[in-house]
Amino acid sequence: MEDLKIINKGLEDEMEIGGYRLCRWKLALVGVGVVCSGGFLLLLLYWMPEWGIKATCSRTTVKEADMLLLRSTDEFKRWFLAKVRVMLAPGSNPFDNLDSQTTSTAMANGHTPHAPRTSDSPSQEIRHMYAEYQPMQIRYFTLHSTKYYWSDTAQNFVVFTGLEDLEVTCSAVHSKHSTGLSRNQQEYRRLFFGVNEIAVKVPSVFKLLIKEVLNPFYIFQLFSVILWSADEYYYYAAAIVFMSVVSIATSLYTIKKQYVMLHDMVAAHSIVRVSVIRANNEIEEAMSTDLVPGDVMVIPSNGTIMPCDAVLVSGTCIVNESMLTGESVPVTKTNLPNPRQGGRGSDSDTVYCTEEHKRHTLFCGTNVIQTRFYSGELVKAVVVRTGFSTDKGQLVRSILYPKPTDFKLYRDAYLFLLCLVAVAGIGFIYSIALSIINKVPAKTIIIESLDIITITVPPALPAAMTAGIVYAQRRLKHIGIFCISPQRINICGQLNLVCFDKTGTLTEDGLDLWGIQRVENKSFLLSEENAYKESLVKSQFVACMATCHSLTKIEGQLSGDPLDLKMFEATGWILEEATEEETSLHNRIMPTVVRPPKQLLPEPAVSSQDDMELYELSQSGYEIGIVRQFPFSSALQRMSVVTRTLGEKRMEAFLKGAPEVVASLCKKDTVPEDFAEVLEDYTKQGFRVIALAHRRLESKLTWHKVQNVSRDHIEANMEFLGLIIMQNKLKPETPGVLEDLRRANIRTVMVTGDNMLTAISVARDCGMIPPEDRVIIADALPPKDGQAAKIDWRYADNPTKNSGKATRLEEVEISLEDVSQGEEARQSERYHFAMSGKAFAVITEHFQDLMQKLVLHGTVFARMAPDQKTQLVEVLQSVDYFVGMCGDGANDCGALKRAHGGISLSELEASVASPFTSRTPNISCVPNLIREGRAALITSFCVFKFMALYSIIQYISVTLLYSILSNLGDFQFLFIDIAIILLIVFTMSLNPAWKELVPRRPPSGLISGPLLFSVLSQILICLGFQTMAFLWVRKQSWWEPWTPLSDACNLSSSSNISLELNETELDDHYIKNYENTTLFYISSFQYLIVAIVFSKGKPFRQPSYKNWPFVLSACSLYAFLFFILFYPISAIDDFLEIVCVPFQWRLTILLIVFVNAVVCILVEVSPFLHQIHTMEVCLSIGLVQSLVYIISI
């Protein structure tokens, strides 16, 4: 019965969901299978949850299911299991009004889901209230810290996130949700929303241990150890057990430490005492864990850490949101406007949304520094979301349950392992067939045939692969780059495009005032250096600079947006805020006053003492009070204030914002005709330009009316005052780093919230766009008045004058073929596309096919919102770019998380969302990260190739020895695996990164021409030389089947007396023989040869001779092997179970090893490998061009 549902539709964690019910006969069959397989079937079903549920359950509808099987709809197609539970509750919707009923006794599966509130007579209350209603059965399941409830209306499982589920309007927040909840309502809602806590449960060591031990790799190791013990290879088995214990202990320590760190970060200040307003207007103290959406909490005047997301309904707060945004700048939060209060219609009444109304929303985890209230009114906020539904909760959830890292290397590694398993399968069959022909006992057949599987799949592979990443992480830490996702280091080696935020990343964080340009009589005056002049002190322009900001005083220090701070400081004025006692005298008036310093005020000639006193009185009274503030909105790109000058009857409005926006809100006859030309001139030079405007308000607008008037009413029919020109300097490191990336064929893209032309100018200044290249602005317009959406193409650098009045950019005709064919379309000139956030949104919605073509040449993306930055990263990834993202943490969190390699230049808590965090506050960390990533990636390839060769070389040795019913000895295995392999593999990973970035990238996967040719050719060489040595030794005149009495070295018979005593014991495995000794020497040298051959240096790593631990290890092992080859010591020979061979044969072994080494080196450095690589590069370029062509079609 197919009944697939989709949950979280359209979201990042969208999943398909299917229902199952336990089937007894299937369960019985599986039980029998588990017993027959010795528990292996149970392990298999644990590793493959989809098999487990299909094997034990039968299909049913999602509504009636006991078990749910979920599969993510993304590219990873991950499976999840969830058990459906039943909760008894008086209603199915948390927002039902059940005021007359209690819910503290509602039970889930026979027990209370949360501790019930104590009351005077709880048993009587329970009996009374259960008589009132018939409880409903609510089906739900929990996945990734989120509860999903069955909805009969939607016929699907849904998530209750909070108050936004009701789609409440702003006026409804005030009228219906600002009076508080009764205790019963709160209890009822808590049944659905749970405890308000972001609980990061730290798993017990035992639970982590079981999960780690049940990893397929460790199960395989356990199988290997049991097998080796049965074959009496005790020492090697003990060594593997020791390695596994160390590996598991290290892994447990790391995982536990990460959980504890995250728990401590989240738990800090997450539970606080709060004051809650009840429905009867009583205020009661409660724990923040008791809060539910709809509760009204009082924000204390001395501030607090917000335990939930809440919308302000009265008062003002100053908040530090660095935890979420990365910006440590205090933000002023004002109360949510009530459209109905000002007597306006419902047209202006919008649905409340945390994103759109974030200037009125206090977010969980942010720090409320101080509050302001008027006439004794409390600062109140309505709880909107709690627990994991909050913004902070979603951030923690993304850390707890990250998406798997999709990288070709890891996929290819699994394929390679499957190939090794296939090779092992051949050896397994060969071993059984050979043993049966030779009539070997059944026990020996089983042990030896299974043993060949454990030889082919190297047990030390995961530890070896991890070593290079650990060393790279250590090197990154040394240069000030911290990593919380080590697997991403390898991926950084593949980056071929890096997105950069502008302000604070490419340019300096702060802005400097370059100058001002005032407007009088509809024309610009000459630009002036500053506004700190006696002649301007009472001008509207300076008044706007002094009042139109969101600055506040915290502990006597001015604090706020850096731009506002620079602008206000340039006036030299003084800001004063009223105390709480003074505040109570006003009635909801913003108690902030600004006034100029006395030395700036003019000093007219005064004739008498009386006149002087009158003058001083009048001048001390020149101050402007800020009556109301409309905070800066990134969506509106402006902010405004309503002010009143002391002694004036009418109030005034001041506006500042993006020049284009401000000009559109001004009377046409006040905007200079050359406005666009002047603005473009400044923005092209890379200046940040802000426009100012002003108007006198109607006399009928009283102080009280101003508090309820709409923003649109104030911000209209303004008079244009002029421009403020701010300079944002490039960081000194920026041009050099971008040039390094350009030389390395790594594309660079700017993603900023700043003005388009300013961004293009900075892109040119820093070298992102070369001087000779053209910039085309894609300006997309949404559908309007029945007309379809369209795109206008304009050159950014070719302004044309239209009738001498308006200046606009020259339009250019570009066909879709031009866009898609890229370089081929314009061989003579290179070009770059630039677009704004608005254009990006229109193109994404209406021109989806065109978007992929545009990003292939898109270099500047301006006025981009945080979620658009994330979308851009996704689009770039969809056209096969490996995308890096570098930002200062401010609004870049989503993009930093989504990119293949996100690096934050901020050390604030927001950097927890980024895989990498740099202590160096400039982009020089980007090439360093890519260099280390490339070195780590090449190290991974080297180690994987070496480990593959190690297992194949040992497989060849054992297979050849099986043909004479022999094998390698326990201590031979031990010497090879511990002394040679582990020592070499952990030292060959120590090569540091090459000092500069080269134009070509390392291969992204193991399944590539050069790598496969390298591995296969080395396997054939090793196979050839081992087989030749094995056959050659048997052709020697002195060769005979070895016995303890054999005397190939012409030793005296007395030396064999001790061997005679152990003849029976030695014959058990027939380890000691000439073939074994020959293959032991040859294979031991082969391990070292391939290690040196595969340990590549330039152009991604430093040469191996600079890696002294590796050189020392290899030389020591060579010396030891040569020593025991030419100067046999009986104690060592007995320990390694090797036999004495004639000196002539030792020289022959040396010759074989030398020729083997020469052939291996010649093949590895042969031009044929480079030809394969060149062919592969050409093929990949052809594929990219084909992809572009296909996209264009």
Side-chain angles (χ1 to χ4, degrees):
M1 186 189 298
E2 285 294 320
D3 180 34
L4 274 179
K5 302 278 187 186
I6 303 286
I7 59 170
N8 304 324
K9 198 172 180 69
L11 300 177
E12 188 179 1
D13 52 353
E14 181 181 279
M15 284 180 281
E16 291 176 350
I17 180 170
Y20 289 85
R21 182 171 282 170
L22 207 61
C23 179
R24 295 184 185 280
W25 67 266
K26 282 187 174 183
L27 198 61
L29 276 178
V30 168
V32 172
V34 169
V35 172
C36 294
S37 64
F40 180 72
L41 180 61
L42 194 64
L43 276 172
L44 191 64
L45 298 182
Y46 169 78
W47 294 329
M48 310 291 286
E50 67 276 23
W51 292 7
I53 202 164
K54 288 174 181 176
T56 56
C57 300
S58 54
R59 198 66 191 267
T60 184
T61 61
V62 172
K63 183 180 180 180
E64 298 168 346
D66 297 325
M67 295 292 293
L68 296 171
L69 183 62
L70 302 99
R71 188 175 75 159
S72 63
T73 56
D74 57 17
E75 67 272 26
F76 302 108
K77 307 293 182 191
R78 291 168 296 159
W79 293 93
F80 304 100
L81 283 183
K83 186 177 181 181
V84 178
R85 300 181 184 276
V86 177
M87 174 177 79
L88 297 178
S92 59
N93 190 316
F95 300 108
D96 289 342
N97 187 8
L98 302 173
D99 236 359
S100 61
Q101 302 166 354
T102 185
T103 59
S104 60
T105 57
M107 303 168 80
N109 295 340
H111 66 276
T112 53
H114 308 294
R117 285 185 175 277
T118 57
S119 61
D120 294 336
S121 52
S123 57
Q124 290 179 14
E125 190 179 19
I126 290 167
R127 282 197 297 271
H128 174 69
M129 290 306 172
Y130 261 93
E132 293 271 329
Y133 70 91
Q134 183 64 39
M136 298 174 65
Q137 285 195 345
I138 311 293
R139 299 170 69 79
Y140 73 95
F141 71 92
T142 305
L143 182 71
H144 292 171
S145 302
T146 303
K147 277 189 177 179
Y148 297 80
Y149 293 91
W150 177 258
S151 166
D152 286 324
T153 310
Q155 284 295 300
N156 200 355
F157 282 96
V158 296
V159 180
F160 295 122
T161 54
L163 213 58
E164 287 174 292
D165 295 340
L166 293 175
E167 296 187 351
V168 289
T169 59
C170 293
S171 60
V173 172
H174 283 277
S175 61
K176 296 179 182 176
H177 299 280
S178 62
T179 53
L181 301 175
S182 68
R183 189 170 293 150
N184 287 344
Q185 280 180 310
Q186 188 196 48
E187 289 284 353
Y188 171 59
R189 288 190 183 181
R190 201 183 306 131
L191 282 176
F192 292 90
F193 293 109
V195 176
N196 174 35
E197 187 180 11
I198 302 170
V200 178
K201 293 178 181 174
V202 180
S204 65
V205 174
F206 179 75
K207 195 172 181 180
L208 287 173
L209 179 65
I210 294 297
K211 191 175 180 182
E212 190 74 16
V213 168
L214 291 181
N215 183 301
F217 167 68
Y218 288 119
I219 296 296
F220 177 70
Q221 278 199 338
L222 179 65
F223 162 75
S224 303
V225 166
I226 293 169
L227 187 67
W228 292 327
S229 300
D231 204 19
E232 297 177 13
Y233 292 156
Y234 299 120
Y235 296 104
Y236 185 54
I240 290 296
V241 168
F242 175 74
M243 279 172 52
S244 300
V245 168
V246 170
S247 177
I248 290 170
T250 308
S251 179
L252 288 185
Y253 173 76
T254 307
I255 295 168
K256 181 89 173 175
K257 186 181 175 184
Q258 286 177 343
Y259 268 110
V260 169
M261 281 175 64
L262 185 60
H263 174 270
D264 292 348
M265 186 198 87
V266 173
H269 314 296
S270 64
I271 300 175
V272 294
R273 290 199 72 81
V274 290
S275 298
V276 181
I277 299 176
R278 290 281 166 235
N280 54 10
N281 230 13
E282 287 181 6
I283 297 177
E284 70 172 40
E285 290 287 313
M287 295 304 294
S288 58
T289 48
D290 293 336
L291 292 173
V292 295
D295 267 331
V296 178
M297 63 182 289
V298 178
I299 312 296
S301 58
N302 59 344
T304 184
I305 302 286
M306 285 301 295
C308 58
D309 288 353
V311 58
L312 268 176
V313 288
S314 69
T316 308
C317 291
I318 296 162
V319 185
N320 185 331
E321 292 190 323
S322 61
M323 194 275 159
L324 286 180
T325 65
E327 293 186 31
S328 56
V329 175
V331 180
T332 302
K333 302 279 186 172
T334 57
N335 59 305
L336 185 72
N338 186 355
R340 299 284 172 86
Q341 199 170 347
R344 297 185 300 278
S346 59
D347 294 344
S348 58
D349 198 3
T350 56
V351 172
Y352 170 75
C353 168
T354 48
E355 185 57 38
E356 287 180 24
H357 297 94
K358 61 184 177 183
R359 281 291 180 180
H360 314 292
T361 305
L362 304 171
F363 292 100
C364 179
T366 58
N367 184 9
V368 179
I369 300 166
Q370 66 184 42
T371 63
R372 295 183 190 159
F373 52 91
Y374 315 103
S375 304
E377 189 175 331
L378 296 170
V379 178
K380 295 186 291 187
V382 179
V383 177
V384 179
R385 296 181 299 201
T386 58
F388 278 98
S389 296
T390 62
D391 272 18
K392 181 181 178 182
Q394 294 291 349
L395 177 64
V396 173
R397 227 162 62 86
S398 69
I399 298 166
L400 279 174
Y401 313 104
K403 270 190 173 183
T405 307
D406 181 35
F407 190 38
K408 201 167 183 288
L409 169 66
Y410 304 125
R411 279 179 286 151
D412 288 356
Y414 287 119
L415 281 173
F416 217 90
L417 281 175
L418 284 174
C419 293
L420 290 178
V421 170
V423 171
I426 296 167
F428 179 78
I429 295 164
Y430 164 77
S431 171
I432 291 174
L434 199 68
S435 299
I436 291 171
I437 291 167
N438 289 286
K439 297 179 181 178
V440 174
K443 181 189 172 186
T444 310
I445 292 175
I446 293 167
I447 290 173
E448 292 195 344
S449 55
L450 290 174
D451 191 32
I452 209 157
I453 295 173
T454 67
I455 288 166
T456 316
V457 183
L461 181 62
M465 292 286 284
T466 306
I469 296 171
V470 171
Y471 295 146
Q473 190 176 5
R474 195 174 65 186
R475 289 194 297 268
L476 284 172
K477 189 176 179 180
H478 184 68
I479 57 175
I481 300 173
F482 297 92
C483 172
I484 61 169
S485 181
Q487 294 301 325
R488 297 276 185 123
I489 297 174
N490 270 344
I491 302 177
C492 288
Q494 277 294 306
L495 295 183
N496 56 355
L497 183 146
V498 184
C499 297
F500 292 97
D501 180 38
K502 183 179 81 70
T503 309
T505 303
L506 296 173
T507 61
E508 297 288 355
D509 220 348
L511 290 161
D512 296 314
L513 184 74
W514 181 84
I516 60 173
Q517 189 147 14
R518 295 184 297 123
V519 168
E520 281 185 12
N521 301 322
K522 205 186 172 184
S523 61
F524 283 110
L525 301 177
L526 291 172
S527 60
E528 301 163 84
E529 279 190 26
N530 61 62
Y532 190 77
K533 292 179 183 176
E534 188 179 300
S535 59
L536 298 179
V537 72
K538 289 192 176 182
S539 67
Q540 301 291 358
F541 191 93
V542 171
C544 187
M545 288 177 69
T547 58
C548 199
H549 53 71
S550 56
L551 300 177
T552 186
K553 277 195 171 178
I554 298 172
E555 296 178 356
Q557 292 291 317
L558 267 182
S559 185
D561 186 271
L563 187 146
D564 285 351
L565 210 53
K566 284 283 181 187
M567 184 181 73
F568 183 76
E569 285 171 353
T571 65
W573 284 38
I574 299 155
L575 181 140
E576 290 181 351
E577 289 180 336
T579 61
E580 288 182 19
E581 292 77 15
E582 292 170 324
T583 302
S584 62
L585 300 174
H586 297 80
N587 188 10
R588 293 179 61 81
I589 304 305
M590 189 69 89
T592 303
V593 170
V594 293
R595 53 184 172 79
K598 286 183 180 178
Q599 59 266 31
L600 273 187
L601 293 168
E603 296 184 15
V606 286
S607 56
S608 66
Q609 186 67 30
D610 292 343
D611 289 342
M612 178 63 79
E613 288 174 4
L614 282 169
Y615 164 74
E616 287 180 355
L617 186 67
S618 67
Q619 293 309 314
S620 65
Y622 184 67
E623 57 185 39
I624 303 174
I626 301 171
V627 178
R628 187 164 183 208
Q629 183 188 83
F630 295 99
F632 176 79
S633 163
S634 54
L636 300 175
Q637 297 179 26
R638 64 182 186 265
M639 80 161 288
S640 58
V641 291
V642 176
T643 69
R644 181 169 178 180
T645 307
L646 195 63
E648 293 283 340
K649 288 184 178 178
R650 289 172 69 175
M651 284 182 273
E652 295 174 293
F654 291 104
L655 171 75
K656 86 162 193 287
E660 308 93 334
V661 175
V662 171
S664 69
L665 296 171
C666 290
K667 296 173 187 173
K668 297 295 179 194
D669 59 352
T670 65
V671 181
E673 289 182 0
D674 58 347
F675 164 75
E677 194 174 0
V678 170
L679 173 63
E680 188 182 343
D681 188 46
Y682 281 127
T683 52
K684 273 188 184 178
Q685 294 176 59
F687 292 117
R688 177 139 180 212
V689 184
I690 293 145
L692 306 182
H694 150 268
R695 84 174 171 104
R696 295 195 74 190
L697 298 177
E698 303 86 349
S699 56
K700 66 179 181 181
L701 275 178
T702 62
W703 286 3
H704 295 284
K705 286 181 180 176
V706 163
Q707 300 311 311
N708 299 312
V709 75
S710 75
R711 183 171 192 158
D712 294 338
H713 179 79
I714 298 292
E715 296 171 348
N717 297 317
M718 309 290 282
E719 294 175 8
F720 195 78
L721 291 176
L723 304 173
I724 297 175
I725 301 101
M726 313 288 285
Q727 193 173 23
N728 194 196
K729 295 175 184 172
L730 279 177
K731 289 184 177 177
E733 300 83 5
T734 298
V737 170
L738 294 180
E739 176 60 24
D740 289 346
L741 295 175
R742 190 189 65 77
R743 281 202 302 265
N745 287 338
I746 295 170
R747 250 188 82 191
T748 52
V749 170
M750 186 191 294
V751 192
T752 177
D754 207 344
N755 173 282
M756 169 72 77
L757 293 175
T758 302
I760 292 171
S761 169
V762 171
R764 284 201 181 280
D765 289 347
C766 67
M768 196 176 279
I769 299 174
E772 66 276 9
D773 291 3
R774 305 292 293 272
V775 179
I776 299 168
I777 296 174
D779 189 14
L781 304 171
K784 191 177 182 183
D785 301 330
Q787 293 184 344
K790 65 170 186 172
I791 304 174
D792 290 334
W793 309 92
R794 295 186 176 91
Y795 281 123
D797 307 312
N798 287 37
T800 57
K801 290 186 179 178
N802 186 6
S803 306
K805 290 183 179 180
T807 303
R808 63 187 189 82
L809 297 174
E810 177 192 344
E811 289 199 10
V812 59
E813 287 296 324
I814 298 179
S815 66
L816 297 187
E817 288 76 13
D818 288 342
V819 176
S820 60
Q821 289 170 15
E823 300 290 339
E824 293 178 13
R826 291 165 178 252
Q827 291 286 348
S828 58
E829 60 171 347
R830 292 191 55 190
Y831 63 97
H832 305 257
F833 287 118
M835 69 183 80
S836 66
K838 285 181 180 176
F840 183 84
V842 173
I843 294 170
T844 304
E845 186 176 351
H846 300 284
F847 303 95
Q848 290 180 0
D849 296 336
L850 187 60
M851 178 54 76
Q852 290 190 328
K853 304 169 196 172
L854 286 174
V855 296
L856 290 172
H857 283 272
T859 303
V860 175
F861 296 84
R863 296 286 191 218
M864 296 286 277
D867 59 324
Q868 289 179 324
K869 291 183 180 183
T870 309
Q871 289 170 24
L872 175 63
V873 169
E874 288 174 345
V875 174
L876 289 165
Q877 288 172 336
S878 71
V879 288
D880 289 339
Y881 275 112
F882 281 87
V883 183
M885 173 72 197
C886 182
D888 60 355
N891 304 321
D892 300 321
C893 292
L896 287 167
K897 274 196 302 181
R898 189 57 54 83
H900 290 111
I903 181 160
S904 168
L905 302 186
S906 161
E907 288 190 71
L908 297 162
E909 284 178 297
S911 64
V912 81
S914 176
F916 302 95
T917 303
S918 171
R919 264 190 186 162
T920 312
N922 60 61
I923 63 169
S924 62
C925 57
V926 174
N928 288 336
L929 177 62
I930 296 173
R931 285 190 307 105
E932 287 297 347
R934 288 181 173 185
L937 186 56
I938 288 297
T939 298
S940 294
F941 287 140
C942 293
V943 168
F944 200 94
K945 285 161 66 179
F946 174 67
M947 294 301 284
L949 257 294
Y950 143 64
S951 61
I952 294 296
I953 290 169
Q954 200 168 76
Y955 170 79
I956 293 166
S957 302
V958 170
T959 307
L960 288 171
L961 290 173
Y962 272 11
S963 67
I964 59 167
L965 303 181
S966 180
N967 200 349
L968 289 172
D970 191 5
F971 288 103
Q972 288 176 341
F973 274 123
L974 198 66
F975 174 75
I976 290 168
D977 291 318
I978 305 297
I980 298 181
I981 303 305
L982 288 186
L983 192 61
I984 289 296
V985 91
F986 286 124
T987 54
M988 78 187 296
S989 304
L990 285 168
N991 288 40
W994 185 244
K995 55 196 171 189
E996 60 187 39
L997 283 174
V998 294
R1000 68 187 179 95
R1001 290 183 298 150
S1004 61
L1006 289 162
I1007 313 299
S1008 64
L1011 283 171
L1012 285 177
F1013 176 78
S1014 171
V1015 171
L1016 291 173
S1017 59
Q1018 296 298 338
I1019 287 173
L1020 291 173
I1021 292 166
C1022 292
L1023 172 65
F1025 279 98
Q1026 277 202 55
T1027 307
M1028 181 183 73
F1030 177 78
L1031 296 174
W1032 198 355
V1033 72
R1034 296 172 70 88
K1035 299 285 185 185
Q1036 298 304 305
S1037 57
W1038 46 264
W1039 181 88
E1040 62 178 0
W1042 188 90
T1043 66
L1045 299 175
S1046 296
D1047 192 15
C1049 295
N1050 298 316
L1051 300 173
S1052 62
S1053 58
S1054 61
S1055 65
N1056 292 322
I1057 293 170
S1058 61
L1059 291 173
E1060 287 179 26
L1061 300 174
N1062 296 319
E1063 183 178 351
T1064 309
E1065 183 185 337
L1066 292 170
D1067 280 343
D1068 282 350
H1069 294 291
Y1070 188 46
I1071 302 300
K1072 287 192 170 186
N1073 54 65
Y1074 300 121
E1075 294 90 336
N1076 170 288
T1077 299
T1078 301
L1079 289 184
F1080 171 73
Y1081 280 126
I1082 298 288
S1083 64
S1084 294
F1085 279 111
Q1086 281 182 339
Y1087 298 129
L1088 295 174
I1089 291 165
V1090 293
I1092 291 166
V1093 164
F1094 285 158
S1095 190
K1096 296 283 178 66
K1098 241 178 116 176
F1100 304 114
R1101 302 198 306 167
Q1102 295 281 1
S1104 291
Y1105 63 78
K1106 289 190 177 182
N1107 179 359
W1108 65 264
F1110 174 70
V1111 172
L1112 187 63
S1113 301
C1115 291
S1116 301
L1117 286 165
Y1118 267 122
F1120 176 77
L1121 287 170
F1122 280 129
F1123 179 76
I1124 63 172
L1125 178 63
F1126 289 103
Y1127 298 95
I1129 297 170
S1130 57
I1132 296 175
D1133 286 0
D1134 289 344
F1135 179 78
L1136 292 174
E1137 298 180 86
I1138 52 180
V1139 299
C1140 188
V1141 293
F1143 186 78
Q1144 187 67 33
W1145 182 244
R1146 294 170 196 271
L1147 291 174
T1148 306
I1149 288 173
L1150 179 63
L1151 178 66
I1152 293 170
V1153 167
F1154 177 76
V1155 175
N1156 188 344
V1158 170
V1159 173
C1160 283
I1161 292 166
L1162 288 175
V1163 168
E1164 190 67 18
V1165 298
S1166 68
F1168 184 61
L1169 261 179
H1170 297 292
Q1171 287 173 12
I1172 292 176
H1173 180 72
T1174 307
M1175 286 168 59
E1176 194 177 46
V1177 169
C1178 294
L1179 185 64
S1180 62
I1181 291 169
L1183 285 171
V1184 169
Q1185 289 176 344
S1186 304
L1187 174 70
V1188 173
Y1189 179 70
I1190 290 164
I1191 289 172
S1192 68
I1193 296 170

